[in-house]
């Protein structure tokens, strides 16, 4: 299935994001969207050749450096991308010359970016240029880039300059000082060091030229080592440039330069590296993939959000975490918030537990910084930073600098008052332990986190003798619109919960690991009196709660604030804080993000107080209408989606889920250029699994009680719990489903209850084509996808092709009529032109010009196409297949197939497109249909091809697929079934006929 957001020029397939048009106004946000990475580093989706106002960046996790005002930030590392192409003296760039075609794709299955375009230089030379790049998941220190160049209408000189840019900036600030650089037998290398943190970086690069006689020269301009070459390119000949890069830092090895050089010397070629990368991604997706059927947008966008987290999770480093904006942008300076533990971590706990362990171990390694913060504020124990970097010390800026030069700076109070993070991190540690049973990590690291932060709470609470209760005053709750409140319910209950678990962990340590318990008692000065104090706080902490209605007051005095109707402020395009102002918003019952509802969500899994169905309903009714869910915080919509789903509000749940799902793909908050919304991405996973999947953790493992959104026909995923995998395959209308052990692939669905249609049985002809299935296989259960040709099958673009060829032939004085046009069905553009020209002498340049001219005429004609140009029966048949859960692909030799699909308005009904750009060998070779099946994730035997041309039928049969021919038997008679058209055709009838053939 495909959907297209016209303003973003995106098409979504199941696995691939396709950008169909370059829009310079969206340059920086698209750079974020096309970020790739491997957990060690992330590289924004900037162009290899550069572009004005671009924000290129490669962030290596853990490489921080100090900077004025913002304390410390994740450093933009030397840029490995630069690859300059100069065509007969004209430098290739998208702000010069003319873009004749453009296509950029992000393939989530292997973390691969492909950009293909046709460019006409200012001097009039036309060239096809394509770039591919990936950050290897198989070897995190390897980066690979490949470029294909094909001159279209000229022979000439092409110059290549492949560089490492040693002068990257963090929006105007350069963190690097030069140490050395040079060349080796393999290529070039660069040595840099951060100015304050003194982290050393070594980077190497080598270039290989294929398809042309070329020798490389080295230019070692300071900070910008370059490999360059100039060669003579011939029209229609492909030249390939491979650029391979290695990178190390002193964080992981003492000699990063020699390590980079050594690895570079032994690297295989691009294709070999790509295969290893693809295999590594296959293993990750085997564990982390979520399959959704029935919702084309969600199918891709859920995977996209997972991808952005998976490329930020550190696989081999337990001293780093995931910044709020992942490794994709400059937002929040690469700082780490509670976002990681509460929103992102569950994905890793249940699908990549080794990475989850690393993320939590980062907090253990940064306990010294948390202790320094507690001491600074005159508290005991460990007080985690609201924003953390490499050391764990507080790095939240004290002041926010506004855009108004004469305006007042804004004090950022989160660093001082938003202390709930001190319970959020132990909450995550506890849940990791409960899910994985990792006793070794808990006794070594987790227990120290939980106990030392509990000591903080005992020093932070205040006893109120009048109330005879403990209070926590002067805080910011999860709702950050109110900056100085007392007894925030979330903070108080989470502190209480934390102390309860701290006692449980201590008791467990004494029983199971007494030596470690003794070590921590001495190290943390943890006495019996301290533990007794914890219990007293648990018993007496203030919690503002009505036991009759179960309504919770967000903080003391919240109900006395002025009420607000957010609908009165619509329409709007910003949050309520700038509308009301920082001071005024404190006086209203308006909430930035779920606070009480967030508490209920965190207590929901274990059904701990105050969670109950009644409490959820009462607090939802009160707080949801007062929450600025659209613009307040990107953390909110996913949480609302889960709770709304619990309450049976399926429409509302899906609406807010889509807000979260598309926050970066559609840039619906206008700040995607700052980086990926990591917490929202993590919330998406939780919304799908815990919300729509209804997963609940029982003593025996996870159990599903699904309530799938309208349109979702299937939801499939796996979870790791109790040291084994549990597979879930949920279907619409399905009731609760129990735990599934490793290897248990049962679906638990209710079966496929289809009503067989009548169809036009008089005109359906069965041919003698050989079945692609063995007798033991059955189409009813095996066929999972249809691949349609466009011309003559779904629409009659054949007429438009004829008119375009006719116009060209008339201009060239060549006889051409409709009878001649019949020979062109299913034939490529070049082969068609050869049939028209017959033996007339034309040069290659003239042939290329005529093909372009014909295509120009055709493109002009298809701009007038609409859904009215669909052939009879096409839309009904596509809809019926979708209802039956059948995947749909397009297999068309046309390079304009995507445009035709968009004009016909059927992009949302298509899962994958194979077009003239997809493969080199046209029909009757099977390549096009095999490519389409691969995009659909299907085997050939599971696929049915619908074609109207003999070459297409031949290609389908050669691919080992079922073939349905539309048209006269003399043309498509070798197909398994021949139909006059799709009008009146029913899938049930076709399935029955194919079953007969198989038997």
């Amino acid at each position: 299935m495909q959907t297209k957001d016209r303003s973003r020029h995106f098409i979504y397939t199941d696995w691939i994001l396709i950008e169909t048009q370059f829009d310079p106004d969206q340059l920086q946000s698209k750079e974020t969207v096309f970020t790739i990475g491997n957990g060690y580093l992330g590289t924004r989706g900037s162009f290899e050749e550069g572009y004005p106002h671009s924000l290129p960046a490669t962030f290596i996790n853990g490489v921080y450096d100090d900077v004025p005002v913002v304390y410390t930030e994740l450093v933009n590392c030397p840029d490995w991308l630069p690859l300059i192409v100069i065509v007969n003296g004209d430098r290739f760039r998208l702000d010069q010359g003319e873009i004749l075609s453009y296509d950029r794709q992000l393939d989530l299955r292997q973390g691969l970016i492909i950009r293909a375009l046709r460019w006409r230089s200012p001097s009039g030379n036309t060239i096809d240029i394509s770039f591919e790049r990936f950050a290897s998941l198989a070897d995190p220190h390897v980066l690979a880039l490949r470029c294909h160049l094909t001159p279209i209408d000229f022979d000439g000189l092409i110059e290549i300059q492949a560089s490492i840019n040693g002068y990257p900036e963090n929006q105007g600030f350069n963190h690097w000082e030069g140490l050395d650089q040079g060349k080796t037998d393999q290529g070039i290398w660069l040595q840099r060091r951060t100015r304050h943190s003194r982290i050393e970086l070594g980077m190497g690069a080598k270039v290989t030229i294929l398809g042309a006689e070329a020798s490389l020269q080295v230019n070692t301009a300071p900070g910008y080592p370059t490999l360059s070459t100039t060669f003579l390119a011939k029209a229609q000949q492909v030249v390939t440039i491979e650029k391979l890069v290695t990178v190390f830092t002193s964080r992981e090895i003492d000699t990063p330069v020699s390590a980079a050089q050594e690895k570079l010397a032994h690297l295989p070629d691009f294709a070999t590296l790509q295969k290893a990368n693809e295999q590594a991604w296959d293993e990750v997706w085997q564990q982390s993939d979520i399959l959704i059927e029935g919702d084309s947008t969600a199918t891709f966008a859920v995977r996209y959000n997972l991808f952005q987290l998976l490329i930020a999770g550190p696989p081999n480093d337990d001293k780093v975490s995931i910044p709020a904006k992942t490794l994709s942008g400059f937002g929040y300076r690469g700082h780490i918030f509670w976002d990681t533990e509460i929103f992102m971590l569950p994905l890793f706990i249940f699908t990549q537990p080794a990475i989850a362990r690393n993320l939590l171990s980062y907090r253990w390694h940064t306990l010294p910084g948390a202790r320094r913060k507690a001491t600074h504020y005159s508290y005991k124990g460990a007080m985690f930073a609201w924003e953390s970097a490499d050391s764990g010390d507080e790095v939240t800026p004290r002041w926010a600098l506004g855009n108004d030069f004469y305006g007042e700076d804004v004090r950022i109070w989160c660093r001082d008052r938003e202390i709930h993070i001190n319970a959020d991190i132990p909450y995550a540690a506890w849940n990791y332990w409960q899910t994985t049973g990792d006793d070794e990590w808990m006794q070594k690291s987790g227990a120290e986190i939980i106990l030392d932060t509990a000591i903080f709470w005992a020093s932070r609470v205040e006893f109120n003798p009048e109330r005879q209760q403990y209070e926590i005053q002067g805080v910011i709750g999860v709702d950050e619109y109110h900056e100085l409140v007392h007894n925030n319910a979330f903070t108080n209950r989470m502190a209480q919960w934390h102390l309860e678990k701290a006692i449980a962990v201590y008791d467990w340590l004494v029983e199971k690991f007494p030596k470690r318990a003794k070590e921590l008692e001495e190290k943390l000065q943890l006495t019996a009196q301290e533990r007794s104090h914890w219990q007293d706080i648990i018993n007496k902490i203030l919690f503002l709660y009505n036991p009759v209605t179960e309504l919770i007051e967000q903080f003391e005095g919240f109900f006395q604030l002025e009420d607000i109707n957010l609908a009165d402020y619509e329409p709007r395009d910003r949050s309520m804080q700038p509308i009301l102002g920082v001071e005024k918003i404190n006086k209203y019952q308006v909430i930035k993000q779920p606070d009480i509802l967030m508490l209920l969500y965190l207590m929901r899994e274990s059904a701990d107080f105050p969670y109950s169905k009644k409490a959820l309903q009462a607090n939802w009714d009160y707080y949801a209408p007062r929450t600025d869910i659209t613009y307040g915080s990107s953390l909110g919509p996913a949480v609302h989606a889960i709770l709304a789903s619990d309450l049976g509000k399926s429409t509302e749940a899906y609406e807010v889920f889509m807000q979260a799902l598309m926050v970066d793909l559609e840039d619906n908050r206008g700040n995607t250029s700052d980086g990926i919304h990591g917490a929202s991405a993590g919330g998406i996973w939780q919304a799908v699994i815990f919300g729509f999947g209804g997963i609940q953790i029982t003593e025996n493992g996870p159990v599903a009680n699904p309530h799938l959104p309208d349109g979702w026909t299937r939801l499939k995923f796996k979870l790791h719990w109790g040291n084994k995998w549990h597979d879930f395959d949920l279907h619409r209308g399905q009731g609760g489903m129990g735990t599934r052990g490793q290897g248990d692939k049962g679906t638990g669905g209710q079966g496929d209850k289809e009503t067989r249609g009548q169809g036009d049985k008089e005109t359906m002809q069965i041919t003698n084509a050989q079945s692609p299935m063995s007798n033991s296989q059955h189409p009813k259960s095996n066929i999972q996808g249809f691949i349609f040709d466009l011309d003559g099958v779904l629409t009659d673009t054949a007429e438009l092709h004829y008119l375009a060829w006719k116009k060209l032939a008339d201009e060239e004085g060549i006889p051409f009529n409709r009878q001649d046009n019949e020979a062109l069905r299913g034939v490529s553009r070049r082969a068609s032109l050869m049939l028209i020209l017959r033996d007339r002498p034309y040069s290659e340049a003239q042939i290329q010009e005529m093909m372009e001219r014909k295509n120009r005429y055709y493109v002009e004609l298809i701009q007038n196409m609409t859904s009215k140009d669909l052939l009879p029966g096409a839309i009904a048949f596509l809809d019926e297949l979708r209802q039956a859960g059948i995947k749909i692909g397009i297999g068309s030799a046309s390079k304009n197939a995507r445009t035709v699909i968009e004009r016909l308005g059927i992009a949302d009904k298509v899962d994958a497109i194979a077009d003239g750009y997809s493969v080199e060998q046209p029909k009757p070779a099977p390549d096009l249909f095999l490519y389409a099946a691969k995009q659909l994730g299907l085997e050939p035997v599971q696929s049915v091809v619908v074609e109207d041309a003999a070459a297409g039928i031949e290609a389908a049969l050669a691919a080992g697929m079922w073939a349905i021919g539309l048209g006269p038997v003399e043309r498509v008679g070798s197909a398994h079934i021949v139909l006059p058209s799709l009008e009146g055709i029913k899938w049930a009838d076709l399935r029955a006929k194919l079953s007969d053939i198989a038997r």
Side-chain angles (χ1 to χ4, degrees), residues 168-224:
E169 292 186 346
N170 282 59
Q171 297 170 305
F173 190 86
N174 184 355
H175 284 278
W176 297 97
E177 58 185 22
L179 294 181
D180 202 359
Q181 63 185 64
K183 62 179 180 178
T184 66
D185 293 340
Q186 287 73 41
I188 53 177
W189 57 272
L190 177 73
Q191 184 182 25
R192 282 283 194 261
R193 185 171 60 202
T194 54
R195 298 182 184 279
H196 300 283
S197 56
R198 314 305 282 174
I199 297 173
E200 186 180 318
L201 175 142
M203 190 176 281
K206 68 177 181 180
V207 169
T208 305
I209 309 292
L210 305 171
E213 293 293 328
S215 59
L216 291 165
Q217 293 81 42
V218 176
N219 183 329
T220 54
Y224 209 89

Side-chain angles (χ1 to χ4, degrees), residues 572-633:
R572 57 190 174 95
D573 58 2
R574 51 188 175 148
S575 73
M576 291 303 297
Q577 190 171 59
I579 292 174
L580 296 175
V582 174
E583 294 298 325
K584 191 175 181 182
I585 203 166
N586 278 283
K587 301 175 183 178
Y588 283 88
Q589 291 188 39
V590 58
I591 304 165
K592 178 180 178 181
Q593 59 199 16
D595 194 311
I596 294 299
L597 294 177
M598 188 71 201
L599 174 64
L600 291 171
Y601 172 57
L602 294 186
M603 296 296 128
R604 163 185 180 269
E605 190 57 58
S606 55
D608 277 350
F609 176 82
Y611 181 83
S612 71
K613 284 291 185 182
K614 180 180 177 182
L616 177 58
Q617 185 68 64
N619 287 280
W620 173 274
D621 291 344
Y622 193 88
Y623 288 104
R626 293 166 171 83
T627 304
D628 188 4
I629 203 68
T630 307
Y631 292 104
S633 169

Side-chain angles (χ1 to χ4, degrees), residues 147-315:
C147 175
H148 298 296
L149 303 173
T150 310
I152 299 302
D153 53 10
F154 70 95
D155 298 342
L157 289 177
I158 293 181
E159 181 181 354
I160 301 297
Q161 299 173 6
S163 309
I164 301 173
N165 177 10
Y167 297 102
E169 292 186 346
N170 282 59
Q171 297 170 305
F173 190 86
N174 184 355
H175 284 278
W176 297 97
E177 58 185 22
L179 294 181
D180 202 359
Q181 63 185 64
K183 62 179 180 178
T184 66
D185 293 340
Q186 287 73 41
I188 53 177
W189 57 272
L190 177 73
Q191 184 182 25
R192 282 283 194 261
R193 185 171 60 202
T194 54
R195 298 182 184 279
H196 300 283
S197 56
R198 314 305 282 174
I199 297 173
E200 186 180 318
L201 175 142
M203 190 176 281
K206 68 177 181 180
V207 169
T208 305
I209 309 292
L210 305 171
E213 293 293 328
S215 59
L216 291 165
Q217 293 81 42
V218 176
N219 183 329
T220 54
Y224 209 89
T226 300
L227 290 164
S228 61
T229 186
T230 302
F231 54 84
L232 180 63
K234 298 284 189 181
Q236 299 304 308
Q237 291 186 357
V238 180
V239 179
T240 300
I241 301 98
E242 294 184 357
K243 179 183 180 183
L244 305 180
V245 179
T246 56
V247 58
F248 288 85
T249 77
S250 56
R251 288 192 68 258
E252 64 270 5
I253 197 166
D254 292 335
T255 55
V257 171
S258 58
Q261 292 173 348
E262 175 71 14
K263 184 169 286 291
L264 190 69
H266 295 94
L267 283 184
D269 62 5
F270 182 97
T272 303
L273 292 171
Q274 184 178 2
K275 185 66 176 177
N277 176 64
E278 185 176 0
Q279 290 173 348
W281 270 110
D282 281 345
E283 293 177 13
V284 169
W285 284 119
Q286 292 256 342
Q287 298 173 335
S288 300
D289 184 33
I290 292 176
L291 171 67
I292 297 169
E293 292 184 356
D295 185 337
S296 58
T297 301
T299 300
F300 172 80
V302 166
R303 283 173 170 152
Y304 176 82
N305 281 273
L306 301 188
F307 172 81
Q308 288 297 341
L309 290 182
L310 292 169
I311 64 174

Side-chain angles (χ1 to χ4, degrees), residues 71 119 132 238 347 461 490 594 683 685 782 798 840 886 892:
Y71 295 92
W119 182 71
E132 304 164 78
V238 180
L347 160 69
V461 299
F490 182 97
W685 185 88
N782 196 63
R840 295 176 179 83
I886 301 294
S892 168

Side-chain angles (χ1 to χ4, degrees), residues 671-687:
N671 60 355
T672 296
S673 59
D674 292 338
I676 291 294
H677 292 77
S680 181
I684 287 297
W685 185 88
Q686 296 184 58

Side-chain angles (χ1 to χ4, degrees), residues 870-911:
L870 284 163
L871 289 173
I875 198 72
F877 189 53
L878 291 176
D879 286 342
E880 185 185 4
L881 291 176
R882 295 249 44 97
Q883 285 282 37
I886 301 294
K887 292 186 176 182
I888 296 173
I890 298 296
S892 168
S894 172
K895 292 186 176 182
N896 299 292
R898 296 182 191 279
T899 304
V900 172
I901 290 166
E902 293 166 24
R903 301 305 303 171
L904 292 173
I906 59 171
D908 62 335
K909 303 180 187 301
V910 178
D911 292 302

